[in-house]
Every structure is written in structure tokens, then in C-alpha cells.
Amino acid sequence: MEFAYIPSPSRGVLHLGPIPLRGYAFCIIIGVFVAVWLGNKRWVARGGRPGTVADIAVWAVPFGLVGGRLYHVITDYQLYFSEGQDWVDAFKIWEGGLGIWGAIALGAVGAWIGCRRRGIPLPAWADALAPGIALAQAIGRWGNWFNQELYGRETDLPWALHITSMTDGREPGYYHPTFLYESLWCIGVAVLVIWADRRFKLGHGRAFALYVAAYCVGRFWIEYMRVDEAHHFLGLRLNGWTSIVVFLLAVLYIVLSARSRPGREEVVEPNAPDDDTDEDGAAVDLDKKSEDEKSGDEKSEDDTEAEAADSAEEKKKTKAETKAETTAEATEEAEAADKADDKVEEKDEAGSAKKS
């Protein structure tokens, strides 16, 4: 009986001449770019400089890839070091096999180095990057689809994954697409962290811890569905136990951190600009700008005082000139009056002399 299903790609690699283009690698690369892009937006929104997230990612990503591969090789050593296996395959990362636990652990070491070089607190940087990491995982899981790996038990659900490869003991059939379940779960984790961060103003690494705790919940039940070979302890897969332990540690960190350091960091990057950037997006030197503004203010005050003094002097000069003019006019009037009186007196004297 035919039913709906998710088809698997016929191959996971295309060749551009001698260059192989692998779907698994593309998914990881795209995921890294998305994580850095979103992390940068969140970092700038918190008061950091544009580009800082990418600068630190240069340290974190290589360490994370090495850590993820080491975790996978150590926990599944029988795939590479048992009889009949070739240990060189342990270096073939493009064939799949990255453990998220090792990637986060060793990636954090690389991020710590980068943050220390920039004088930035690692928890604040991790908070900004947390939802981006979840989205990177969501995209990276599609690399398992290209490789036809990490699927679950057989099922006849409409969204069953059709496995066609027989490599490494695979049996063609229809299985639970656990890669898809984890991809969708990681998208939900990213949305949860963004919402909680806005709602509760998470800081000091608590947004990152929330991402870790939420991811572990989903990974636990998804791990329970997988059928690929893995080590078991007390009836539970190794990654299931890891999910439980890491979940408890993340929750404990959230509780203790909230008590000891409530709220969010006021400053995440020393000397970072508020909103002032040049055309290239580079940060403006605020100290220099402040000095220029101060100098300009002092100059403006001096100019104002000088203008006020000049104005007062001009008023004084004008007043003096007006007074002098008034005095001169009064003097002229007085002299004219005296001359008129003299003429009257002379006329009277002449009249008197004539009568005599």
C-alpha cells in the first residue's frame, strides 16, 4: 500500500569538476552564518559593537567543530577503531558525525579565548548568541537528511522518512525523521529564548542556560526514538543520560545566577558606541567626540562673552556720543540765547541814547 513519505536525496554530494559540494557541509556553513547574523543583531541591541560576535566566532567555530568531532569519535569509537574499521575515517568529518555536547563544550573554550582578548564577559556574549546557536542546529540537522542518517524507528506515518541507502548496514524502509523532529524543536527553542529574554531581561548567561535546558528536553525524547548504534547504560542511551545531566546543570545555573546576579549587564562591551557609527559601521571614538564637543562648548561660551562685551561697549559708546551731542546742542542753544539777549540789550541802549 502506497502512502505519503519524505523522500531521501539520491546522493549527498555534487561534484563541480574536481571539487565536491557536500550537502552536510553546506548545512553547517549556512547554520554558522545564521547564528553569527542573529547573534550580531542581539549583541548590538545590548550595546555591543557591530562585528564583535563574528570576531569571537572565528575562535569559537573551529574549536566547536573539533570538539563536536572528538565527542562523536570518543563515544562511538567502535565505528573507527574496532576490527575491520579504518581509523583514518575518524577525520572524515564530511561524512557526518558531530556531537553537540562536545561542540558546545570546546566551542565555549574558543569563545572564552576570543572574549578574553576583547575584554568581554563570556556569559553576555553567550546570551546574545544562544538563539542563533539553536537555529544553526536546526539548519545543520538537515545535513543528516543528505547523509541518510540518524533516523528513528520504522513507521507508516505520512511524514515517514524513506531511507534508500544500504551503506554501513542501513536497511531501506520508512522511518521516523528524527532529524526533522530535532530541527523543528530547535526552532522552537530559539523562539522561546528570544521571548523569555525580552520578557524577563535575562542576563549573565541565563539566556544561554535556558537554551541548553530546553534543547536537552527535546534531545532526550528524540534520542529515545533513534535506532542507530549507541552505547547504553541502565537501558538508556549515552546521549539520553548526557541530556539529563546537562539539563540539571543548566537549571541549577539559572537558579543560582538569578540569586547572585539578578538583572542584565548594563555594559557588555567597554567603550562601545550607543548609536554613533561611521559610514563603514565602525564605532566612533566617544572620548574624542566628547572632547571636541567640550572644546566647541567652551569656544562658544568665549565667543558669547566677547560678543556681549562688544555689545556693552558699543552701547556705552553710543550713549556717550548721544550725551555729548545733547550737551553740544544745549551749549549752542545757550550761546544763541545769550547772543539774542545781548542784541536786545544793545538795541535798548541805543533807543535810550536816541531819546536823550
Side-chain angles (χ1 to χ4, degrees):
M1 179 179 175
E2 294 290 336
F3 54 87
Y5 60 86
I6 300 174
S8 292
S10 58
R11 53 181 176 174
V13 58
L14 296 175
H15 289 273
L16 185 62
I19 303 175
L21 305 177
R22 302 182 183 277
Y24 186 86
F26 270 111
C27 290
I28 293 176
I29 293 171
I30 294 172
V32 169
F33 274 104
V34 170
V36 172
W37 169 77
L38 181 58
N40 181 71
K41 289 178 65 69
R42 287 171 51 80
W43 182 254
V44 172
R46 289 195 174 202
R49 293 178 180 271
T52 296
V53 169
D55 292 343
I56 298 175
V58 170
W59 289 89
V61 172
F63 274 75
L65 291 174
V66 173
R69 188 60 176 177
L70 282 175
Y71 180 89
H72 168 73
V73 171
I74 292 172
T75 56
D76 291 308
Y77 62 87
Q78 73 280 356
L79 300 177
Y80 307 100
F81 302 105
S82 61
E83 186 178 354
Q85 301 295 332
D86 187 358
W87 63 271
V88 177
D89 292 341
F91 297 95
K92 297 179 180 179
I93 191 173
W94 56 86
E95 293 184 354
L98 288 174
I100 185 61
W101 316 111
I104 294 297
L106 206 54
V109 174
W112 176 79
I113 296 174
C115 288
R116 185 176 178 82
R117 290 169 60 89
R118 297 291 295 266
I120 294 171
L122 175 61
W125 185 86
D127 282 342
L129 204 66
I133 295 176
L135 290 180
Q137 288 179 251
I139 296 171
R141 274 306 176 196
W142 283 86
N144 301 132
W145 176 67
F146 281 102
N147 286 353
Q148 297 196 38
E149 60 185 359
L150 304 187
Y151 44 85
R153 297 186 295 270
E154 287 189 291
T155 181
D156 58 357
L157 292 172
W159 55 84
L161 175 65
H162 186 200
I163 296 297
T164 59
S165 174
M166 291 185 292
T167 306
D168 296 331
R170 297 186 183 95
E171 295 183 7
Y174 300 91
Y175 301 88
H176 278 285
T178 52
F179 84 91
L180 178 60
Y181 298 160
E182 186 167 339
S183 179
L184 295 176
W185 183 269
C186 287
I187 293 175
V189 170
V191 173
L192 171 65
V193 173
I194 292 174
W195 171 81
D197 193 25
R198 292 178 178 176
R199 175 66 176 80
F200 302 106
K201 304 297 182 183
L202 302 177
H204 301 286
R206 289 188 288 276
F208 182 81
L210 176 61
Y211 143 73
V212 172
Y215 172 75
C216 288
V217 173
R219 181 61 183 267
F220 179 81
W221 67 266
I222 293 171
E223 193 71 25
Y224 182 75
M225 299 178 66
R226 284 170 50 171
V227 295
D228 54 298
E229 186 177 357
H231 296 287
H232 288 74
F233 296 96
L234 301 177
L236 193 64
R237 291 165 65 96
L238 174 61
N239 283 329
W241 285 111
T242 305
S243 297
I244 294 174
V245 173
V246 175
F247 170 81
L248 294 176
L249 291 175
V251 172
L252 181 63
Y253 178 86
I254 293 174
V255 174
L256 296 180
S257 175
R259 291 179 179 177
S260 61
R261 292 180 295 179
R264 178 184 288 178
E265 300 91 340
E266 294 183 1
V267 178
V268 296
E269 185 169 3
N271 301 322
D274 293 330
D275 295 314
D276 301 305
T277 55
D278 59 19
E279 294 179 355
D280 295 329
V284 177
D285 189 338
L286 296 186
D287 293 336
K288 182 177 181 180
K289 183 177 179 181
S290 177
E291 292 177 359
D292 293 342
E293 290 178 350
K294 184 176 179 181
S295 177
D297 292 341
E298 292 177 352
K299 184 177 181 181
S300 178
E301 292 176 359
D302 293 341
D303 292 343
T304 302
E305 292 177 358
E307 291 176 358
D310 292 342
S311 177
E313 186 175 351
E314 289 178 359
K315 289 181 179 179
K316 185 176 181 182
K317 183 177 180 181
T318 301
K319 186 175 181 180
E321 291 176 352
T322 302
K323 184 176 181 180
E325 291 176 357
T326 303
T327 303
E329 290 177 355
T331 302
E332 290 177 356
E333 290 178 355
E335 290 178 353
D338 291 341
K339 289 181 180 179
D341 292 340
D342 292 341
K343 288 182 179 181
V344 171
E345 290 178 357
E346 290 177 357
K347 186 175 182 182
D348 291 340
E349 290 177 356
S352 298
K354 187 175 181 181
K355 290 180 178 181
S356 300

